[in-house]
Amino acid sequence: MEKIVILTGAGISAESGLGTFRDAGGLWTRHSIEDVATPEGFARDPALVQAFYNARRTKAARARPNPAHLALARLQAGWPGEVVIVTQNVDDLHERAGARDVLHMHGQMAGALCGACGHRWRAPDTMREGEPCPACRAPLARPDVVWFGEMPYCMDEILAHLAGAGLFAAIGTSGQVWPAAGFVTEATAAGAHTVELNLEPSDMAAEFAEIRTGPASRTVPAWVGELLSRC
Ligand code: APR
């Protein structure tokens, strides 16, 4: 059975109560990307950036996986071929739903990174300005998330998965941020069938062979049920 590669975005966690970025009332309508999601913003005001991620980390810890996260974990467990979940999300709802080996291309809020020596460790619930690195003691600890202008993680691995995909699905992502927005083109070039599951057509909708519209908590379980009925 074909390899399935799935890309998720903030929309899959929306029904778990976590904000998206570009919807009405989204995070980027209330915070400046330059101030809280760039290395320059962190250098300028680390306290503001730590507070932004502390609030999101707390909210994510209180959130629960929704039927869409659970359905993807069921697909991974029940599909005879490989199912690779690539997420742009920095929450851990896929893992808490039972998904395995999730590729977090934009990092994870649960992780901390030293801006001086590159050491990584599990982030405390609240990170302070000037938080010392446990390895080199430099006061440059930051959330281990990928900011604008930085290289996403796992790109070589993701592109290799896309090159071998028979089916590619993008769930709850606006298709406005690269390189994730271009994954559908890579999958199409590999001969994969492509499907977008979103509340409304994304900026990349025209690139998909199939569009399923509606809330992820409804469309993803239905889509997974159809796939597993083929096994
Ligand atoms: N079900 C399905 N899709 C939904 C739902 C829902 N309940 N609610 C919202 N959506 C869709 C919206 O229609 C939109 O297409 O989720 C998408 C959210 O888009 P964005 O807010 O742009 O989030 P995302 O695509 O994940 O952003 C990508 O941008 O700011 C950076 O690093 C950040 O990882 C993020 C990246």
Side-chain angles (χ1 to χ4, degrees), residues 157-200:
E157 192 177 354
I158 293 167
L159 291 173
H161 284 310
L162 289 168
L167 173 59
F168 173 74
I171 303 172
T173 180
S174 62
Q176 295 187 37
V177 175
W178 296 77
F183 289 175
V184 59
T185 309
E186 302 289 335
T188 302
H193 176 67
T194 57
V195 54
E196 175 178 85
L197 297 95
N198 199 308
L199 206 50
E200 59 194 21

Side-chain angles (χ1 to χ4, degrees), residues 9-12 14-15 20-23 28 33 88-89 106 146 148 172-177 197-200 202 214-217:
I12 199 170
E15 291 164 89
T20 59
F21 295 95
R22 296 172 182 81
D23 290 329
W28 297 151
I33 286 178
Q88 300 171 95
N89 299 339
H106 290 167
V146 177
F148 286 91
T173 180
S174 62
Q176 295 187 37
V177 175
L197 297 95
N198 199 308
L199 206 50
E200 59 194 21
S202 79
S217 64

Side-chain angles (χ1 to χ4, degrees), residues 27-170:
L27 282 165
W28 297 151
T29 65
R30 290 178 281 121
H31 299 275
S32 142
I33 286 178
E34 290 70 25
D35 290 345
V36 296
T38 62
E40 297 76 15
F42 183 66
R44 193 166 48 244
D45 189 346
L48 174 71
V49 175
Q50 296 290 18
F52 176 68
Y53 284 96
N54 288 340
R56 290 181 63 201
R57 191 179 296 110
T58 302
K59 202 170 178 194
R62 290 191 186 128
R64 298 188 51 69
N66 67 56
H69 298 104
L70 294 165
L72 294 187
R74 268 200 316 277
L75 181 63
Q76 263 191 332
W79 184 253
E82 192 179 1
V83 178
V84 178
I85 298 174
V86 179
T87 188
Q88 300 171 95
N89 299 339
V90 293
D91 63 58
D92 61 351
L93 293 179
H94 280 302
E95 288 83 355
R96 286 164 54 198
R100 295 185 319 281
D101 307 323
V102 177
L103 297 176
H104 282 267
M105 63 181 290
H106 290 167
Q108 298 183 70
M109 285 186 290
L113 169 68
C114 175
C117 74
H119 178 62
R120 283 186 166 83
W121 66 100
R122 183 155 185 83
D125 292 345
T126 302
M127 289 186 80
R128 302 184 322 278
E129 177 191 1
E131 181 99 13
C133 165
C136 76
R137 311 306 304 162
L140 287 172
R142 55 175 274 189
D144 187 11
V145 298
V146 177
W147 285 325
F148 286 91
E150 296 183 326
M151 269 303 287
Y153 294 154
C154 314
M155 280 309 296
D156 292 344
E157 192 177 354
I158 293 167
L159 291 173
H161 284 310
L162 289 168
L167 173 59
F168 173 74

